Amino acid sequence: MHKALPTNVELAALRGVEWRIDDRLVPYEEAVAGMERRVEAISAGRSPEMVWLLEHPPLYTAGTGARDEDLLAPDRFPVHRTGRGGQFTYHGPGQRVCYVMLDLKPRGQDVRRYVQGLEEWVIRTLGRFNVKGERRDDRIGIWVARGGGREDKIAAIGVRIRRWVTFHGIAINVEPELEHFSGIVPCGIAAANYGVTSLVDLGLPVTMADLDVALKETFAEVFGAPPVR
């Protein structure tokens, strides 16, 4: 018997995950439009999966669970309403945004497992710089214990899925202006002992290029390549 020819989706999976790195500040609307096009192409089997690494100009985004009262400075930066999960977050220079477009159909169609994979990806990446990132059952994102009951958020996670293809993703603070987070209640968490930190704030002279190398290495450890059916 002759083996059936692979479908477009299978061919896209065989090509592996494409990595794109933008050195400029990418406008948020441009990034969302680019993700929309790529997700459609992945779903149709015309393009391989992709991880897109970039930085945005200063802005706030509001997820599907955002509360208006958590936007403390509505006129400070542009505010973008988005279809990802979560609440308000800040994006800006010095923060590595990782937009992840993966096809979950050959990866088990398990959303919870995918989100856990994103968390593990961040944790392993931070571990390359001897930073212990931790999950919290009652809080979204990845946190760093600072002692004395204080915990600071170092990475945000927000996802959207369409026809089992993912978009949006994670944001890791390398060296953003942390004061810019004061214009929102980050992820709706206002407790005094919870703050925001970055790799440089922790005393680590990590560059964006350093982080990108670690992200690529640990991505392969966590996600690998999808099985071709």
mmCIF file of all heavy atoms in Angstrom, residues 181-224:
data_model
loop_
_atom_site.group_PDB
_atom_site.id
_atom_site.type_symbol
_atom_site.label_atom_id
_atom_site.label_comp_id
_atom_site.label_asym_id
_atom_site.label_seq_id
_atom_site.Cartn_x
_atom_site.Cartn_y
_atom_site.Cartn_z
ATOM 1 N N PHE A 181 4.358 50.742 35.549
ATOM 2 C CA PHE A 181 3.307 49.831 36.019
ATOM 3 C C PHE A 181 2.368 50.519 37.002
ATOM 4 O O PHE A 181 1.290 50.002 37.295
ATOM 5 C CB PHE A 181 3.929 48.601 36.687
ATOM 6 C CG PHE A 181 4.526 47.615 35.724
ATOM 7 C CD1 PHE A 181 5.855 47.729 35.321
ATOM 8 C CD2 PHE A 181 3.781 46.559 35.221
ATOM 9 C CE1 PHE A 181 6.415 46.816 34.438
ATOM 10 C CE2 PHE A 181 4.333 45.637 34.336
ATOM 11 C CZ PHE A 181 5.648 45.768 33.944
ATOM 12 N N SER A 182 2.763 51.682 37.522
ATOM 13 C CA SER A 182 1.945 52.355 38.531
ATOM 14 C C SER A 182 0.657 52.929 37.956
ATOM 15 O O SER A 182 -0.234 53.333 38.706
ATOM 16 C CB SER A 182 2.749 53.472 39.210
ATOM 17 O OG SER A 182 3.030 54.526 38.291
ATOM 18 N N GLY A 183 0.539 52.982 36.639
ATOM 19 C CA GLY A 183 -0.673 53.506 36.028
ATOM 20 C C GLY A 183 -1.814 52.516 35.976
ATOM 21 O O GLY A 183 -2.928 52.858 35.552
ATOM 22 N N ILE A 184 -1.564 51.294 36.402
ATOM 23 C CA ILE A 184 -2.592 50.246 36.425
ATOM 24 C C ILE A 184 -2.463 49.461 37.732
ATOM 25 O O ILE A 184 -1.467 49.592 38.453
ATOM 26 C CB ILE A 184 -2.441 49.259 35.241
ATOM 27 C CG1 ILE A 184 -1.033 48.630 35.241
ATOM 28 C CG2 ILE A 184 -2.740 49.944 33.914
ATOM 29 C CD1 ILE A 184 -0.845 47.523 34.222
ATOM 30 N N VAL A 185 -3.460 48.664 38.011
ATOM 31 C CA VAL A 185 -3.329 47.612 39.020
ATOM 32 C C VAL A 185 -2.951 46.358 38.238
ATOM 33 O O VAL A 185 -3.808 45.749 37.587
ATOM 34 C CB VAL A 185 -4.634 47.394 39.805
ATOM 35 C CG1 VAL A 185 -4.469 46.256 40.806
ATOM 36 C CG2 VAL A 185 -5.055 48.677 40.510
ATOM 37 N N PRO A 186 -1.660 45.998 38.209
ATOM 38 C CA PRO A 186 -1.227 44.904 37.335
ATOM 39 C C PRO A 186 -1.973 43.611 37.636
ATOM 40 O O PRO A 186 -1.948 43.108 38.757
ATOM 41 C CB PRO A 186 0.266 44.771 37.631
ATOM 42 C CG PRO A 186 0.658 46.106 38.181
ATOM 43 C CD PRO A 186 -0.535 46.578 38.957
ATOM 44 N N CYS A 187 -2.674 43.118 36.620
ATOM 45 C CA CYS A 187 -3.425 41.862 36.729
ATOM 46 C C CYS A 187 -4.433 41.886 37.877
ATOM 47 O O CYS A 187 -4.796 40.834 38.407
ATOM 48 C CB CYS A 187 -2.480 40.675 36.864
ATOM 49 S SG CYS A 187 -1.409 40.478 35.421
ATOM 50 N N GLY A 188 -4.856 43.074 38.287
ATOM 51 C CA GLY A 188 -5.875 43.198 39.321
ATOM 52 C C GLY A 188 -5.400 42.913 40.724
ATOM 53 O O GLY A 188 -6.208 42.764 41.639
ATOM 54 N N ILE A 189 -4.076 42.881 40.933
ATOM 55 C CA ILE A 189 -3.514 42.524 42.240
ATOM 56 C C ILE A 189 -2.974 43.788 42.904
ATOM 57 O O ILE A 189 -1.961 44.343 42.467
ATOM 58 C CB ILE A 189 -2.406 41.466 42.086
ATOM 59 C CG1 ILE A 189 -2.982 40.213 41.421
ATOM 60 C CG2 ILE A 189 -1.802 41.131 43.446
ATOM 61 C CD1 ILE A 189 -1.938 39.215 40.996
ATOM 62 N N ALA A 190 -3.644 44.232 43.957
ATOM 63 C CA ALA A 190 -3.311 45.519 44.563
ATOM 64 C C ALA A 190 -2.662 45.406 45.939
ATOM 65 O O ALA A 190 -2.342 46.416 46.548
ATOM 66 C CB ALA A 190 -4.578 46.373 44.674
ATOM 67 N N ALA A 191 -2.459 44.208 46.454
ATOM 68 C CA ALA A 191 -1.903 44.044 47.796
ATOM 69 C C ALA A 191 -0.522 44.692 47.897
ATOM 70 O O ALA A 191 0.285 44.629 46.961
ATOM 71 C CB ALA A 191 -1.818 42.568 48.149
ATOM 72 N N ALA A 192 -0.246 45.319 49.043
ATOM 73 C CA ALA A 192 0.988 46.091 49.218
ATOM 74 C C ALA A 192 2.238 45.226 49.135
ATOM 75 O O ALA A 192 3.315 45.718 48.771
ATOM 76 C CB ALA A 192 0.946 46.823 50.555
ATOM 77 N N ASN A 193 2.122 43.944 49.482
ATOM 78 C CA ASN A 193 3.311 43.081 49.484
ATOM 79 C C ASN A 193 3.554 42.424 48.128
ATOM 80 O O ASN A 193 4.455 41.605 47.989
ATOM 81 C CB ASN A 193 3.202 42.011 50.567
ATOM 82 C CG ASN A 193 1.975 41.139 50.411
ATOM 83 O OD1 ASN A 193 0.880 41.627 50.094
ATOM 84 N ND2 ASN A 193 2.124 39.835 50.634
ATOM 85 N N TYR A 194 2.739 42.770 47.116
ATOM 86 C CA TYR A 194 2.944 42.241 45.769
ATOM 87 C C TYR A 194 3.333 43.381 44.843
ATOM 88 O O TYR A 194 2.624 44.383 44.732
ATOM 89 C CB TYR A 194 1.673 41.573 45.236
ATOM 90 C CG TYR A 194 1.190 40.399 46.045
ATOM 91 C CD1 TYR A 194 -0.169 40.113 46.153
ATOM 92 C CD2 TYR A 194 2.090 39.569 46.709
ATOM 93 C CE1 TYR A 194 -0.626 39.031 46.887
ATOM 94 C CE2 TYR A 194 1.640 38.491 47.450
ATOM 95 C CZ TYR A 194 0.291 38.224 47.544
ATOM 96 O OH TYR A 194 -0.148 37.152 48.285
ATOM 97 N N GLY A 195 4.481 43.242 44.194
ATOM 98 C CA GLY A 195 4.943 44.288 43.294
ATOM 99 C C GLY A 195 5.359 43.724 41.954
ATOM 100 O O GLY A 195 4.927 42.645 41.535
ATOM 101 N N VAL A 196 6.216 44.471 41.280
ATOM 102 C CA VAL A 196 6.714 44.093 39.958
ATOM 103 C C VAL A 196 8.229 44.227 39.976
ATOM 104 O O VAL A 196 8.783 45.160 40.567
ATOM 105 C CB VAL A 196 6.120 45.003 38.859
ATOM 106 C CG1 VAL A 196 6.623 44.563 37.488
ATOM 107 C CG2 VAL A 196 4.598 44.981 38.896
ATOM 108 N N THR A 197 8.909 43.307 39.331
ATOM 109 C CA THR A 197 10.364 43.355 39.264
ATOM 110 C C THR A 197 10.834 43.016 37.862
ATOM 111 O O THR A 197 10.028 42.745 36.959
ATOM 112 C CB THR A 197 11.000 42.406 40.304
ATOM 113 O OG1 THR A 197 12.404 42.675 40.400
ATOM 114 C CG2 THR A 197 10.797 40.946 39.932
ATOM 115 N N SER A 198 12.137 43.045 37.679
ATOM 116 C CA SER A 198 12.750 42.695 36.400
ATOM 117 C C SER A 198 14.090 42.027 36.676
ATOM 118 O O SER A 198 14.588 42.035 37.813
ATOM 119 C CB SER A 198 12.965 43.953 35.550
ATOM 120 O OG SER A 198 13.967 44.774 36.125
ATOM 121 N N LEU A 199 14.689 41.463 35.643
ATOM 122 C CA LEU A 199 15.995 40.832 35.823
ATOM 123 C C LEU A 199 17.038 41.846 36.273
ATOM 124 O O LEU A 199 17.844 41.574 37.172
ATOM 125 C CB LEU A 199 16.417 40.156 34.518
ATOM 126 C CG LEU A 199 15.631 38.894 34.156
ATOM 127 C CD1 LEU A 199 15.898 38.477 32.718
ATOM 128 C CD2 LEU A 199 15.985 37.754 35.107
ATOM 129 N N VAL A 200 17.018 43.035 35.676
ATOM 130 C CA VAL A 200 17.989 44.056 36.061
ATOM 131 C C VAL A 200 17.687 44.573 37.464
ATOM 132 O O VAL A 200 18.600 44.827 38.256
ATOM 133 C CB VAL A 200 18.008 45.188 35.019
ATOM 134 C CG1 VAL A 200 18.840 46.366 35.508
ATOM 135 C CG2 VAL A 200 18.560 44.666 33.697
ATOM 136 N N ASP A 201 16.414 44.705 37.807
ATOM 137 C CA ASP A 201 16.040 45.128 39.161
ATOM 138 C C ASP A 201 16.541 44.137 40.207
ATOM 139 O O ASP A 201 16.852 44.514 41.335
ATOM 140 C CB ASP A 201 14.519 45.265 39.247
ATOM 141 C CG ASP A 201 14.037 45.739 40.608
ATOM 142 O OD1 ASP A 201 14.495 46.814 41.046
ATOM 143 O OD2 ASP A 201 13.204 45.041 41.236
ATOM 144 N N LEU A 202 16.651 42.872 39.827
ATOM 145 C CA LEU A 202 17.176 41.846 40.724
ATOM 146 C C LEU A 202 18.701 41.848 40.779
ATOM 147 O O LEU A 202 19.299 41.018 41.464
ATOM 148 C CB LEU A 202 16.679 40.462 40.288
ATOM 149 C CG LEU A 202 15.167 40.208 40.418
ATOM 150 C CD1 LEU A 202 14.789 38.876 39.777
ATOM 151 C CD2 LEU A 202 14.731 40.230 41.882
ATOM 152 N N GLY A 203 19.321 42.769 40.057
ATOM 153 C CA GLY A 203 20.776 42.892 40.085
ATOM 154 C C GLY A 203 21.493 42.068 39.035
ATOM 155 O O GLY A 203 22.707 41.852 39.139
ATOM 156 N N LEU A 204 20.762 41.631 38.011
ATOM 157 C CA LEU A 204 21.343 40.781 36.975
ATOM 158 C C LEU A 204 21.472 41.566 35.671
ATOM 159 O O LEU A 204 20.471 41.983 35.100
ATOM 160 C CB LEU A 204 20.471 39.547 36.754
ATOM 161 C CG LEU A 204 20.275 38.666 37.994
ATOM 162 C CD1 LEU A 204 19.183 37.648 37.750
ATOM 163 C CD2 LEU A 204 21.580 37.982 38.372
ATOM 164 N N PRO A 205 22.687 41.775 35.173
ATOM 165 C CA PRO A 205 22.888 42.553 33.946
ATOM 166 C C PRO A 205 22.588 41.728 32.696
ATOM 167 O O PRO A 205 23.457 41.513 31.835
ATOM 168 C CB PRO A 205 24.362 42.950 34.035
ATOM 169 C CG PRO A 205 24.997 41.810 34.775
ATOM 170 C CD PRO A 205 23.962 41.353 35.781
ATOM 171 N N VAL A 206 21.352 41.265 32.577
ATOM 172 C CA VAL A 206 20.941 40.411 31.459
ATOM 173 C C VAL A 206 20.514 41.294 30.290
ATOM 174 O O VAL A 206 19.762 42.260 30.461
ATOM 175 C CB VAL A 206 19.779 39.503 31.885
ATOM 176 C CG1 VAL A 206 19.300 38.653 30.708
ATOM 177 C CG2 VAL A 206 20.205 38.604 33.050
ATOM 178 N N THR A 207 20.986 40.983 29.097
ATOM 179 C CA THR A 207 20.567 41.708 27.904
ATOM 180 C C THR A 207 19.403 40.984 27.243
ATOM 181 O O THR A 207 19.124 39.806 27.525
ATOM 182 C CB THR A 207 21.711 41.824 26.892
ATOM 183 O OG1 THR A 207 22.009 40.515 26.372
ATOM 184 C CG2 THR A 207 22.965 42.407 27.540
ATOM 185 N N MET A 208 18.736 41.682 26.336
ATOM 186 C CA MET A 208 17.649 41.054 25.596
ATOM 187 C C MET A 208 18.172 39.872 24.778
ATOM 188 O O MET A 208 17.505 38.838 24.660
ATOM 189 C CB MET A 208 16.984 42.087 24.693
ATOM 190 C CG MET A 208 15.552 41.758 24.321
ATOM 191 S SD MET A 208 14.404 41.778 25.709
ATOM 192 C CE MET A 208 14.208 43.533 25.994
ATOM 193 N N ALA A 209 19.361 40.017 24.208
ATOM 194 C CA ALA A 209 19.957 38.923 23.433
ATOM 195 C C ALA A 209 20.230 37.708 24.318
ATOM 196 O O ALA A 209 20.028 36.556 23.901
ATOM 197 C CB ALA A 209 21.239 39.393 22.759
ATOM 198 N N ASP A 210 20.701 37.941 25.539
ATOM 199 C CA ASP A 210 20.923 36.840 26.484
ATOM 200 C C ASP A 210 19.619 36.086 26.732
ATOM 201 O O ASP A 210 19.585 34.852 26.731
ATOM 202 C CB ASP A 210 21.433 37.371 27.828
ATOM 203 C CG ASP A 210 22.813 37.988 27.755
ATOM 204 O OD1 ASP A 210 23.595 37.607 26.864
ATOM 205 O OD2 ASP A 210 23.112 38.857 28.603
ATOM 206 N N LEU A 211 18.560 36.842 26.973
ATOM 207 C CA LEU A 211 17.267 36.224 27.255
ATOM 208 C C LEU A 211 16.773 35.442 26.058
ATOM 209 O O LEU A 211 16.237 34.333 26.205
ATOM 210 C CB LEU A 211 16.243 37.293 27.645
ATOM 211 C CG LEU A 211 14.872 36.736 28.038
ATOM 212 C CD1 LEU A 211 14.947 35.983 29.359
ATOM 213 C CD2 LEU A 211 13.833 37.847 28.114
ATOM 214 N N ASP A 212 16.947 35.981 24.860
ATOM 215 C CA ASP A 212 16.460 35.295 23.662
ATOM 216 C C ASP A 212 17.130 33.940 23.479
ATOM 217 O O ASP A 212 16.482 32.962 23.074
ATOM 218 C CB ASP A 212 16.698 36.168 22.427
ATOM 219 C CG ASP A 212 15.824 37.418 22.409
ATOM 220 O OD1 ASP A 212 14.866 37.484 23.218
ATOM 221 O OD2 ASP A 212 16.094 38.319 21.592
ATOM 222 N N VAL A 213 18.411 33.868 23.760
ATOM 223 C CA VAL A 213 19.113 32.582 23.664
ATOM 224 C C VAL A 213 18.494 31.566 24.628
ATOM 225 O O VAL A 213 18.214 30.422 24.266
ATOM 226 C CB VAL A 213 20.619 32.761 23.951
ATOM 227 C CG1 VAL A 213 21.308 31.401 24.096
ATOM 228 C CG2 VAL A 213 21.276 33.571 22.842
ATOM 229 N N ALA A 214 18.264 32.006 25.862
ATOM 230 C CA ALA A 214 17.675 31.111 26.861
ATOM 231 C C ALA A 214 16.254 30.720 26.471
ATOM 232 O O ALA A 214 15.847 29.561 26.657
ATOM 233 C CB ALA A 214 17.684 31.789 28.230
ATOM 234 N N LEU A 215 15.485 31.643 25.933
ATOM 235 C CA LEU A 215 14.114 31.340 25.519
ATOM 236 C C LEU A 215 14.089 30.256 24.449
ATOM 237 O O LEU A 215 13.253 29.334 24.498
ATOM 238 C CB LEU A 215 13.427 32.606 24.995
ATOM 239 C CG LEU A 215 12.950 33.615 26.038
ATOM 240 C CD1 LEU A 215 12.619 34.947 25.371
ATOM 241 C CD2 LEU A 215 11.730 33.076 26.787
ATOM 242 N N LYS A 216 14.980 30.337 23.480
ATOM 243 C CA LYS A 216 15.015 29.331 22.414
ATOM 244 C C LYS A 216 15.388 27.959 22.963
ATOM 245 O O LYS A 216 14.783 26.942 22.603
ATOM 246 C CB LYS A 216 16.018 29.746 21.327
ATOM 247 C CG LYS A 216 15.504 30.836 20.410
ATOM 248 C CD LYS A 216 16.460 31.035 19.244
ATOM 249 C CE LYS A 216 15.929 32.059 18.256
ATOM 250 N NZ LYS A 216 16.796 32.192 17.064
ATOM 251 N N GLU A 217 16.380 27.927 23.827
ATOM 252 C CA GLU A 217 16.828 26.640 24.369
ATOM 253 C C GLU A 217 15.747 25.982 25.227
ATOM 254 O O GLU A 217 15.487 24.787 25.106
ATOM 255 C CB GLU A 217 18.104 26.840 25.176
ATOM 256 C CG GLU A 217 19.303 27.254 24.341
ATOM 257 C CD GLU A 217 20.529 27.569 25.186
ATOM 258 O OE1 GLU A 217 20.404 27.652 26.425
ATOM 259 O OE2 GLU A 217 21.610 27.737 24.594
ATOM 260 N N THR A 218 15.120 26.754 26.079
ATOM 261 C CA THR A 218 14.141 26.166 26.995
ATOM 262 C C THR A 218 12.812 25.890 26.306
ATOM 263 O O THR A 218 12.081 24.988 26.720
ATOM 264 C CB THR A 218 13.919 27.087 28.210
ATOM 265 O OG1 THR A 218 13.556 28.400 27.758
ATOM 266 C CG2 THR A 218 15.179 27.174 29.055
ATOM 267 N N PHE A 219 12.496 26.634 25.247
ATOM 268 C CA PHE A 219 11.281 26.336 24.486
ATOM 269 C C PHE A 219 11.327 24.910 23.946
ATOM 270 O O PHE A 219 10.346 24.171 24.026
ATOM 271 C CB PHE A 219 11.120 27.332 23.339
ATOM 272 C CG PHE A 219 9.865 27.129 22.522
ATOM 273 C CD1 PHE A 219 8.697 27.789 22.856
ATOM 274 C CD2 PHE A 219 9.863 26.290 21.416
ATOM 275 C CE1 PHE A 219 7.538 27.608 22.119
ATOM 276 C CE2 PHE A 219 8.718 26.100 20.667
ATOM 277 C CZ PHE A 219 7.549 26.762 21.020
ATOM 278 N N ALA A 220 12.470 24.547 23.395
ATOM 279 C CA ALA A 220 12.611 23.198 22.853
ATOM 280 C C ALA A 220 12.456 22.147 23.949
ATOM 281 O O ALA A 220 11.894 21.072 23.718
ATOM 282 C CB ALA A 220 13.964 23.057 22.162
ATOM 283 N N GLU A 221 12.948 22.450 25.144
ATOM 284 C CA GLU A 221 12.812 21.507 26.259
ATOM 285 C C GLU A 221 11.347 21.296 26.645
ATOM 286 O O GLU A 221 10.946 20.180 26.972
ATOM 287 C CB GLU A 221 13.578 22.030 27.475
ATOM 288 C CG GLU A 221 15.064 22.115 27.317
ATOM 289 C CD GLU A 221 15.737 22.815 28.488
ATOM 290 O OE1 GLU A 221 15.043 23.166 29.463
ATOM 291 O OE2 GLU A 221 16.960 23.008 28.430
ATOM 292 N N VAL A 222 10.570 22.357 26.627
ATOM 293 C CA VAL A 222 9.185 22.286 27.117
ATOM 294 C C VAL A 222 8.224 21.833 26.036
ATOM 295 O O VAL A 222 7.376 20.959 26.256
ATOM 296 C CB VAL A 222 8.753 23.654 27.662
ATOM 297 C CG1 VAL A 222 7.266 23.627 28.063
ATOM 298 C CG2 VAL A 222 9.607 24.044 28.866
ATOM 299 N N PHE A 223 8.345 22.411 24.850
ATOM 300 C CA PHE A 223 7.342 22.165 23.810
ATOM 301 C C PHE A 223 7.811 21.187 22.735
ATOM 302 O O PHE A 223 6.997 20.467 22.158
ATOM 303 C CB PHE A 223 6.920 23.489 23.164
ATOM 304 C CG PHE A 223 6.167 24.385 24.075
ATOM 305 C CD1 PHE A 223 6.778 25.493 24.660
ATOM 306 C CD2 PHE A 223 4.834 24.144 24.379
ATOM 307 C CE1 PHE A 223 6.086 26.326 25.519
ATOM 308 C CE2 PHE A 223 4.128 24.980 25.244
ATOM 309 C CZ PHE A 223 4.748 26.069 25.804
ATOM 310 N N GLY A 224 9.105 21.180 22.435
ATOM 311 C CA GLY A 224 9.613 20.294 21.392
ATOM 312 C C GLY A 224 8.899 20.541 20.076
ATOM 313 O O GLY A 224 8.391 21.621 19.796
#
